[in-house]
Amino acid sequence: MNAKEYLSQVFIINKRINSKLQQVSSLKSLALRVSSTFEKDKICKTRKQSPMEDAIVKIIDLENEINTDIDELIDMKKNIAEEISLLTDENSKMVLELRYVALMKWEEIAAATGYDLRWVYRIHKRAIKDFEKPLKATISI
């Protein structure tokens, strides 16, 4: 794993969280549409969970997974921010923090820094090289 792949883990975790949030929203919508069916003269039937209960259990499980993922994301961002702070070039620090901690798009970084988009790419390329040097010593990539 190179430095860029290491830093990009934040995007992967963030996408996973967003996907699970969409699933929760979908399950909540589904749970609101679930209706009970009444069956006449069924006496010896073992009671299963209702569709509403199933949906609620799935929502709770998914929300617990989301909380775990959020904790992982926060820890990852904290570690990355600490590692970025070890760089000496302030422009490199700024671009890496905006990209991998604040999760900004390239165009947003260019607007925030006042640099041309191509210049942001150059700073990023140089910053990744600088970031990779001490990273190789501390993390097996």
Side-chain angles (χ1 to χ4, degrees), residues 7-9 14 24 33 38 45 50 52 99 118-119:
L7 293 169
S8 294
Q9 292 178 89
N14 196 52
V24 166
R33 286 187 263 147
F38 297 102
K45 184 177 179 182
S50 72
M52 175 72 95
R99 181 68 178 163
R118 289 180 292 171
W119 188 247

Side-chain angles (χ1 to χ4, degrees), residues 25-55:
S25 176
S26 176
L27 284 171
K28 284 181 179 179
S29 175
L30 182 65
L32 293 174
R33 286 187 263 147
V34 172
S35 61
S36 298
T37 57
F38 297 102
E39 297 180 15
K40 192 174 181 181
D41 296 322
K42 290 260 183 169
I43 298 171
C44 295
K45 184 177 179 182
T46 57
R47 186 176 185 277
K48 289 185 176 181
Q49 283 185 325
S50 72
M52 175 72 95
E53 287 174 301
D54 288 341

